[in-house]
Amino acid sequence: MPTMDRFNAILNGKRDAVLADIRRLQNEEKSLSRDVGLREVMDTKDISFRDSVAVIRNAGLRREAEELEDIRAALARIENGSYGICIVCDEVIPEARLEAWPTAKRCRPCQEKREAEKAGRH
Ligand SMILES: [Zn+2]
């Protein structure tokens, strides 16, 4: 199906971009640790700044890893023919929604319901 080919290409492109991001973040992490290793004396302000940077970077990596997982799951759904079908109600997800959000696994009403439930728990 031509549509699946197109989403396959979109998702592969996204995956490559996320992988490049992860590699970049990991390289920055490495050069950061090297930096810290070279300096024997650091004042407290410096350390806390570096710690904060590391924490932010790790949060970034976690987000990228989650996105990568979503992309992998979407590509697997293309493989097994369930891509574009809501995992909750089995309705077809409109193509416009998939274009805006290629890793969507729920239709809009099901997604909104889920988000309302999540918000209600907090
Ligand atoms: Zn649904």
Side-chain angles (χ1 to χ4, degrees), residues 97-112:
R97 175 169 168 77
L98 290 173
E99 249 165 54
W101 187 11
T103 59
K105 44 184 182 277
R106 292 177 192 82
C107 66
R108 192 186 298 272
C110 289
Q111 183 67 33
E112 278 168 5

Side-chain angles (χ1 to χ4, degrees), residues 86 88-91 106-107 110:
C86 175
V88 180
C89 68
D90 284 341
E91 288 291 323
R106 292 177 192 82
C107 66
C110 289

Side-chain angles (χ1 to χ4, degrees), residues 27-37 49-51 53-54 57:
N27 283 338
E28 280 175 17
E29 196 75 64
K30 253 182 252 156
S31 66
L32 193 74
S33 337
R34 208 162 40 228
D35 251 26
V36 175
F49 169 72
R50 282 169 192 281
D51 283 351
V53 171
R57 291 242 164 85

Side-chain angles (χ1 to χ4, degrees), residues 42-62:
M42 276 194 303
D43 64 30
T44 326
K45 208 174 90 193
D46 211 14
I47 291 171
S48 69
F49 169 72
R50 282 169 192 281
D51 283 351
S52 320
V53 171
V55 167
I56 292 164
R57 291 242 164 85
N58 284 334
L61 267 176
R62 213 168 24 240

